[in-house]
Amino acid sequence: MKSNTEKFGKTPHQPSLWTRADALKVHADDPTTTQPLVSADFPVLSNEVFIWDTMPLRDLDGNITSVDGWSVIFTLTADRHPNDPQYIDENGNYDITRDWNDRHGRAKMYYWFSRTGKDWELGGRVMAEGISPTVREWAGTPILLNEQGEVDLYYTAVTPGATIVKVRGRVVTTEHGVSMVGFEKVKPLFEADGKMYQTEAQNPFWGFRDPWPFRDPNDGKLYMLFEGNVAGERGSHTVGEAEIGDVPPGYEDVGNSRFQTACVGIAVARDEDGDDWEMLPPLLTAVGVNDQTERPHFVFQDGKYYLFTISHTFTYADGVTGPDGVYGFVADSLFGPYVPLNGSGLVLGNPSSQPFQTYSHCVMPNGLVTSFIDSVPTDESGTQIRIGGTEAPTVGIRIKGQQTFVVAEYDYGYIPPMLDVTLK
Ligand code: FRU
């Protein structure tokens, strides 16, 4: 494999590395970085649909924004099929686990609204059937642009391919609720280039998705984070000294970790409107450590850049492991260098007794962390589970320098606004 300098050039920055040595510091069940147990008697948002990735409406500075007193979230959503013969097992029972596991293939973007920042009411689909160019509408970010209520929804159009796209519409409020209008013309922005970011041709398991646009608090320019893998044919990456880091004797063996090549990508807009983008080298790479750094996002606090990203146990490389949850890194400037929070990167992981209880965490600038419930064991042995497909209890964390601490737990799906915009 080419070194980072050869692959990414000398400017504008070198990616920071999440090393194997960093990951060896990840410890499940540390109470300061573990999500409280989710009880199996959780309420569900809807019996008609599953929801998972949750995307609160926000502005380009990252503030969670309500409009005319209405909070709004977007969610990846798929119908539940309790009566579909396809999901009835040989005993005549609804196989909800299979239905849930199949959801990614039929993900659509829906929106919900609320007066209280919880108890969400279903608004409906954001785009009518046939508007989005591909089968799957995968995660992204809805941005409130102005007091006219214009919204740019950045998301990922998947199958065929994976393209970062955006669609513009408008949020309209009444006394009784919220609707989304427009969202009729989807504009493709960019796809993986094969030089910095891995393509489907280089690796059928590639990841390229989850746009998170933002205005840099320092230079004022419009950028976008996204999930990627480092370019190159699958299996061609090498895990050398830099990727390994400072490991103790006996930890030098990297096994087959060359297959894990996650990175956090960044692009810069060439225009004010964010219609024309240039991909830059990744901010962070996890070659030899983990294959997925999903839904990357920032919290700007105390003049620092707190970079968060979600990852799984099953995507860790040989010889390193950690819980499903959200990981974080901090830098003094946008292009790094980034160091892992808490030494390891782990910020909020599932407890080992309930390893799949939640996922897709989003850390908001007020320190609240939203996620969805995946599955919770209903018996001691963990063989019986209850599928979620709904909002998890929100967790509060405190971010202090290079450390984070779990400090609070709130209601299911509690996503309070940080500012309210009165529409003109
Ligand atoms: C995270 C995620 C995203 C993707 C979506 C697909 O839960 O894997 O990266 O956009 O789910 O359903």
Side-chain angles (χ1 to χ4, degrees):
M1 179 179 102
K2 288 183 187 160
S3 72
N4 272 339
T5 323
E6 287 168 290
K7 186 173 281 174
F8 301 122
K10 285 219 166 54
T11 53
H13 65 275
Q14 289 295 305
S16 300
L17 268 64
W18 186 22
T19 66
R20 290 174 63 84
D22 298 330
L24 285 174
K25 289 181 180 286
V26 172
H27 293 300
D29 299 322
D30 172 338
T32 67
T33 52
T34 298
Q35 183 149 8
L37 286 171
V38 173
S39 163
D41 63 2
F42 55 80
V44 298
L45 219 50
S46 161
N47 287 313
E48 273 75 55
V49 294
F50 294 122
I51 65 102
W52 61 108
D53 294 12
T54 297
M55 299 155 262
L57 183 67
R58 64 162 176 85
D59 65 17
L60 273 175
D61 303 314
N63 302 302
I64 311 301
T65 308
S66 59
V67 280
D68 296 334
W70 289 105
S71 286
V72 180
I73 55 172
F74 287 43
T75 59
L76 293 193
T77 306
D79 289 340
R80 295 176 186 248
H81 295 119
N83 302 312
D84 185 332
Q86 206 194 326
Y87 292 104
I88 305 298
D89 67 17
E90 60 275 12
N91 302 317
N93 298 320
Y94 170 39
D95 187 351
I96 185 173
T97 304
R98 201 153 52 78
D99 196 11
W100 169 243
N101 289 340
D102 283 355
R103 72 190 186 281
H104 301 286
R106 56 179 200 278
K108 307 289 178 203
M109 197 66 80
Y110 277 61
Y111 70 96
W112 307 70
F113 53 87
S114 156
R115 278 285 189 208
T116 58
K118 56 188 188 179
D119 304 317
W120 299 96
E121 264 181 79
L122 183 56
R125 257 184 98 168
V126 177
M127 287 167 282
E129 182 63 28
I131 298 288
S132 196
T134 62
V135 176
R136 309 172 182 207
E137 300 168 13
W138 275 14
T141 310
I143 301 284
L144 181 68
L145 293 170
N146 50 43
E147 292 174 336
Q148 282 68 49
E150 281 185 298
V151 171
D152 264 349
L153 172 62
Y154 290 79
Y155 71 100
T156 324
V158 175
T159 313
T163 308
I164 291 178
V165 302
K166 77 175 200 180
V167 57
R168 186 166 293 187
R170 210 154 48 83
V171 52
V172 176
T173 68
T174 68
E175 234 176 277
H176 307 290
V178 169
S179 47
M180 293 290 161
V181 299
F183 298 98
E184 280 160 2
K185 222 173 140 273
V186 177
K187 187 180 169 87
L189 299 179
F190 55 90
E191 328 185 351
D193 59 349
K195 296 193 178 77
M196 294 184 286
Y197 296 100
Q198 198 172 45
T199 58
E200 185 173 15
Q202 293 173 330
N203 175 7
F205 310 106
W206 94 123
F208 194 79
R209 54 182 183 260
D210 303 348
W212 197 90
F214 65 99
R215 194 174 301 288
D216 176 37
N218 286 309
D219 73 14
K221 286 202 257 178
L222 181 58
Y223 293 92
M224 186 199 296
L225 298 177
F226 53 88
E227 170 187 0
N229 288 99
V230 174
E233 293 295 323
R234 178 172 158 79
S236 72
H237 300 74
T238 52
V239 181
E241 268 177 34
E243 290 78 13
I244 296 173
D246 298 316
V247 295
Y251 287 84
E252 301 85 355
D253 183 1
V254 300
N256 281 322
S257 68
R258 67 182 180 283
F259 292 107
Q260 278 69 44
T261 62
C263 67
V264 171
I266 185 166
V268 60
R270 295 195 185 95
D271 64 331
E272 270 293 302
D273 267 1
D275 288 324
D276 185 13
W277 292 85
E278 179 187 351
M279 278 181 276
L280 302 174
L283 284 187
L284 182 86
T285 61
V287 174
V289 176
N290 203 304
D291 205 34
Q292 291 188 2
T293 45
E294 308 194 279
R295 296 196 68 198
H297 55 285
F298 273 124
V299 168
F300 309 114
Q301 186 189 301
D302 306 328
K304 296 190 191 310
Y305 293 79
Y306 287 93
L307 172 63
F308 295 99
T309 177
I310 54 170
S311 196
H312 291 285
T313 304
F314 85 92
T315 53
Y316 267 100
D318 282 355
V320 279
T321 189
D324 278 28
V326 61
Y327 291 75
F329 303 83
V330 60
D332 290 328
S333 65
L334 174 57
F335 290 104
Y338 283 86
V339 299
L341 289 171
N342 303 317
S344 65
L346 181 60
V347 169
L348 188 65
N350 283 333
S352 55
S353 60
Q354 302 200 153
F356 303 113
Q357 66 170 18
T358 62
Y359 192 58
S360 209
H361 302 73
C362 172
V363 184
M364 297 175 273
N366 52 11
L368 269 53
V369 188
T370 170
S371 61
F372 72 86
I373 300 176
D374 185 321
S375 66
V376 176
T378 53
D379 66 347
E380 281 289 301
S381 68
T383 47
Q384 302 293 319
I385 55 165
R386 180 168 176 226
I387 295 290
T390 188
E391 297 289 347
T394 295
V395 173
I397 63 168
R398 183 139 306 136
I399 304 170
K400 269 191 202 163
Q402 299 192 358
Q403 291 187 305
T404 66
F405 300 87
V406 172
V407 291
E409 194 182 21
Y410 301 92
D411 216 343
Y412 298 91
Y414 181 49
I415 303 173
M418 296 171 56
L419 55 93
D420 185 56
V421 171
T422 306
L423 299 184
K424 296 231 160 89

